[in-house]
Amino acid sequence: MKVPYSWLIEYVDINKDIKEVADALTMSGSKVEEVIEYGKEIDKVVTGYVEKIEKHPNADKLRICKVNVGSEILQIVTGAENVQEGDTVPVALHGSTLPGGVKIKKGKLRGVESNGMLCSEEELGIANESDGIMILPKGTPIGVDIKEVLGLKGGILDFEITSNRPDCLGVYGIAREVSATFRLPLKEIKTNFKENKEDIKDYINVEVKDMLCRRYSARVVKNVKVGPSPEWMQQRLMDAGVRPINNIVDITNYVMLELGQPMHAFDYRFINGKKIVVRKAKDGEKFTTLDGVERVLDSSMLVIADEKETLAVAGVMGGQNSEIKEDTTIVVFECANFNGTNIRLTSKKLGLRTESSSRFEKDLDPNLIDIALDRACHLVEVIGAGEVVGGKIDIYPHPVKPYNLEVDPNWINEFIGINISKEEMAEMLRYLGMKVEVKDKLNIEVPTFRQDIKIKEDIAEEIARLYGYDKIPSKKIEGELVEAVLTKEQRLVNIVRNVMVSNGFFEINTYSFVSPKVFDKIRLKEDSPLKNAVRILNPLGEDFSLMRTTLIPSILETLKINYLRDNKEVKIFEVAKVYYPSDNIPVEVLKLGIGMIGKVDFYDLKGAIENILNVFGIDKVDYERDEENLTFHPGRCAKLMVRRKQVGVFGEIHPLVAENYEIEDRVYVAEIDLVPLFEAYKTERKYKPLPKYPAVDRDIAILVKDEVAVAEIENIILKVGKDFVESVKLFDVYKGKQVPEGMKSVAYSIIYRREDRTLTDEEVNVIHESIVKALEEKLGAQLR
Amino acid sequence: MKEQLEKIKQEALEEIKNAENSQRIDEIRVKYLGKKGSLTSILRGMGALPSEERPIIGKLANEVRQFLEEELKKALNNIKQKELELRIKGEYIDITMPGKRIEFGNIHPLNKVLDEIKDIFFGMGFSVAEGPEIELDYYNFEALNVPKNHPARDEQDTFYISENLVLRTQTSPIQIRTMENTKPPIRIIAPGRVYRSDAVDTTHSPIFYQIEGLVVDKGITMANLKGTLETFAKRFFGEKTKTKFRPHHFPFTEPSAEMDVSCFVCEGEGCRVCKGSGWIEILGCGMVHPDVLRKGGIDPEKYSGFAFGMGLDRIVMIKYGIDDIRLLYENDIRFLKQF
Ligand SMILES: [Zn+2]
């Protein structure tokens, strides 16, 4: 909210630089987002009266002006076309400065002396662009500093007003904060005016049919002469960001900006039946608002109507039908209070947020109406806009009363961690408009404009902020020692991430929502349970509408983004949740997703997984071929089985899926459930004595059929060589020359060792031969 | 005999002197001192000598043998040293060639910074609490003093799953859940993904990360809030960091504040990062509202507490100078490799 500084100092005598005031207010709770110091860099620019304009003898586009700047008459050459004799304009004198540090000096333009410059709004830094010289209103004094004329001295404060402080939605409310911040008195606002002898009841009647209107007050002004409002009023409106319209509308806006209470003015002529009715709109009712837009209302919206038709959407915007016109002579000033939520919802539905609705939606104090309506009448009198009819309409069935609160000052000191006297607390609160009696406790009467204060903590906040948050000491937490602990899951997630990083993978972070299209992209079967996903009712778009049930599409999407950007060597992983629908709150399950493209194969992926299992101390692991999973290459896909239960799937992505993700390369992906891994995690490790007796190393190379899995060979070796074979290591698999079609050569290094004695060659020979024999019998292996 | 011995000695010496490698030294040893060596054969021929000469010649022969052994040893050492020097000279490598590395991956910058923040709070006795991302409206709003139709709900643009189920817009619901399940003293931070239906641009993402904190105990004061968060700011942004607490408003704390830290880029001078102010807004905080404590099953007359919350993405972006939030969720490997 923009507050001109000059307006603010009308209510508090503060003799401080605007920046200093801004900082102090920010620290006491009214955050100043920006200080706009328009005239700051302007120096030696005054108002001047253009007495005469002549043509330039040497240039068609230039003109020579004789400008009266009070002390003298200057000859100034200008290129502007809009200046006329009799205009008052800003004149930059010799030696003056304009925003941006521009210096103006005497000089000759095409042979004619020019002793200064006529300025545009753009040159003065008060507009982003302008066409021509700024023409000041008629009657503007001559030879005066332009900063004074434009009201630029001091500038404008732009506040961020939090939703709990509707009382600060007007200049006067902010002035009260200034008063409390600097402990200076707040001046009273002038509201005196004369009423005529007539009675408003002879003019108008009001009926409030809906309790969403908590109070409805009105005054009638007659003998109105509609015209522009005075310059000072227009200037303030403009500084606060409101466009001047005419004196009547300007008065309502002025009061709104000053007190935060929106008002509306109706042309009395167009109120049918001389009766105002506050009621709900009819469903589908059409109504043209002041901005010329026809809007469709519904029965949740509150309207101000007469006997026949709607005149205004309550608290949001008036209608064209009763707008103040040039020939308006009688005006009805409305000053009302509406339910904030209703106004907010109406404004949202209509897509129409106004200065008025944005205030009403914060739930204003109904008692603000008294002062606001009087202030409007006072202004009518001050600017001579009309004659106030005697009496007022005031429908206020349930008046809001001040709130009483008793707070222990010692509690406040303890709660905040400070030590100030109860008298000082009382003084602070009084500046905020509260009545305070100091006894053992503070007996506080909270004014109705502070609806946000209800409990002792609210009072504590007022004290703390006026005392200054920066003055509150900083203390360590004392008391019972609290031990920070990591849960097992948190610890293991960290381990998984560290192992993956050591494996050479980069952690990624992807959106949890996916498109329904991904199910087809990864070729899920028709009846796949993964298709049953949690759906967002109001997604950002169909492509972000489902909470993912698998990490695989996210992994593939990330690989795709990289691949298409020519990142062809990519190893990534993510530890993230998937979401399954359930009767109550959806179930969230932690998964590890892995993806890789580049110079890698199935076994690189498997190795990374094995490293995790190894670090976790999980040994009962099996890998089962999975030809059913259509996401993967049927010949290169494995189910990861831990203790006979599937905990994940990994392998090469099916070429059709890779194609769906525009990757013309082999893609390897894994998705692993982390919770069962965490359960299988073994903490205890036992030391095994280092071997005392030497080992015997024997290699074996056999020919087996292609389809024999090496795991079968290893199992036989380990089984037959039990208690003798310490380890078996595959070191070569060969197909091709010298190996018959459909066969492969597999070579192992077997280490024999006994824990209790040194093995003799003979012993090893016997075992080795029986292994060979078993391989021949069970797998049809041939020794090479 | 004597002369013979002397001659052998001289000859051998000459040969040792000219020997060029260790193999030659071995040959010389064999030639003179070996089983069939010339010195050996002299000793063998001693029997023919008169008995009184035998000890003299024997002694002499032994002296020659010892002498030659010494010389051979010396020569061998010399040669070995020369050979070693030669070998080393030939083995110079280009030490500026790149090292052979096991290629590590990397933790995502969001998690990297989160880990750092977790560690700092861990050191101050804060455990990490977690909760569901798909959350009951009650925990996300109602229990935090944001009833239905509260304007704050508009500001937060919530994703709805059903009428009473939302994608959490903040990690604050974890605070309520923690209070329900834990007796004070409570000291937790609650980091996690949160969701708001903001259209994506350089500073907005519909998914982002928040870190909230909660402390509840007897006698917790606003001074404790300041002390704790100042310590965090110094540990995270550097010991020289200054903090500024400004009053603010949140429905779930009273009093409420925002904390600014002095800009760590320009140290308060004013720069692009801090928009010239010298300060960067980092977090919101306040004393837990008594209604919120009650919702968590904690008696506000006995206990008090403070809470705080900050946006991780913003902190990561400021820390690394990242100007587009989308980079954090796009996962371009060239981006990820930089951290
Ligand atoms: Zn800076």
Side-chain angles (χ1 to χ4, degrees), chain B residues 263-280:
Chain B
C263 179
F264 54 87
V265 178
C266 63
E267 295 188 345
E269 293 289 312
C271 70
R272 225 174 60 105
V273 172
C274 58
K275 296 192 189 96
S277 70
W279 296 93
I280 298 172

Side-chain angles (χ1 to χ4, degrees), chain A residues 500-683:
Chain A
M500 287 311 293
V501 167
S502 307
N503 276 330
F505 288 78
F506 288 84
E507 190 182 33
I508 60 168
N509 216 322
T510 58
Y511 283 178
S512 334
F513 25 67
V514 292
S515 165
K517 290 180 205 135
V518 300
F519 298 142
D520 286 341
K521 279 177 100 172
I522 64 167
R523 300 176 79 225
L524 285 188
K525 286 183 189 154
E526 207 49 58
D527 58 348
S528 168
L530 294 181
K531 284 190 168 176
N532 181 21
V534 176
R535 179 175 285 277
I536 300 167
L537 292 179
N538 56 333
L540 281 182
E542 186 66 4
D543 284 349
F544 306 95
S545 61
L546 297 183
M547 296 304 284
R548 61 185 171 195
T549 52
T550 158
L551 298 181
I552 291 176
S554 310
I555 298 285
L556 287 170
E557 192 61 39
T558 305
L559 290 175
K560 170 188 165 177
I561 286 172
N562 277 286
Y563 183 81
L564 294 181
R565 291 179 182 181
D566 243 357
N567 302 331
K568 301 272 157 89
E569 295 286 334
V570 183
K571 294 165 85 179
I572 52 171
F573 78 98
E574 181 170 24
V575 176
K577 284 174 170 180
V578 299
Y579 313 81
Y580 303 130
S582 126
D583 293 341
N584 193 9
I585 299 185
V587 179
E588 303 180 9
V589 175
L590 201 61
K591 297 233 181 194
L592 165 66
I594 309 176
M596 58 207 294
I597 50 174
K599 289 193 263 324
V600 288
D601 63 22
F602 178 92
Y603 301 106
D604 288 302
L605 178 59
K606 190 177 176 188
I609 295 167
E610 283 170 340
N611 274 344
I612 294 175
L613 297 171
N614 189 32
V615 170
F616 272 40
I618 301 174
D619 43 15
K620 289 208 178 84
V621 181
D622 295 294
Y623 301 92
E624 287 178 10
R625 189 183 287 290
D626 189 354
E627 290 172 288
E628 301 301 306
N629 192 330
L630 302 181
T631 305
F632 289 89
H633 187 308
R636 299 180 171 192
C637 175
K639 289 193 267 194
L640 174 64
M641 312 291 290
V642 171
R643 296 173 183 167
R644 311 238 163 269
K645 272 195 191 146
Q646 182 174 355
V647 301
V649 60
F650 67 93
E652 185 179 323
I653 286 296
H654 195 286
L656 290 173
V657 174
E659 198 181 301
N660 288 340
Y661 285 90
E662 297 169 53
I663 304 175
E664 296 166 4
D665 205 346
R666 293 181 188 275
V667 183
Y668 300 91
V669 168
E671 184 175 45
I672 295 168
D673 267 331
L674 286 178
V675 175
L677 285 198
F678 295 165
E679 280 159 9
Y681 172 79
K682 264 206 290 202
T683 37

Side-chain angles (χ1 to χ4, degrees), chain A residues 4 7 33 96 105 113 121 178 193 226 348 367 504 554-555 606 637 691 719 756 768 776:
Chain A
W7 204 340
E33 297 211 297
S96 61
K105 282 186 184 135
E113 203 172 296
E121 281 164 314
V178 175
F193 64 95
V226 175
K348 222 175 144 184
N367 294 332
S554 310
I555 298 285
K606 190 177 176 188
C637 175
K719 209 171 153 197
D756 54 352
H768 196 74
E776 282 167 355

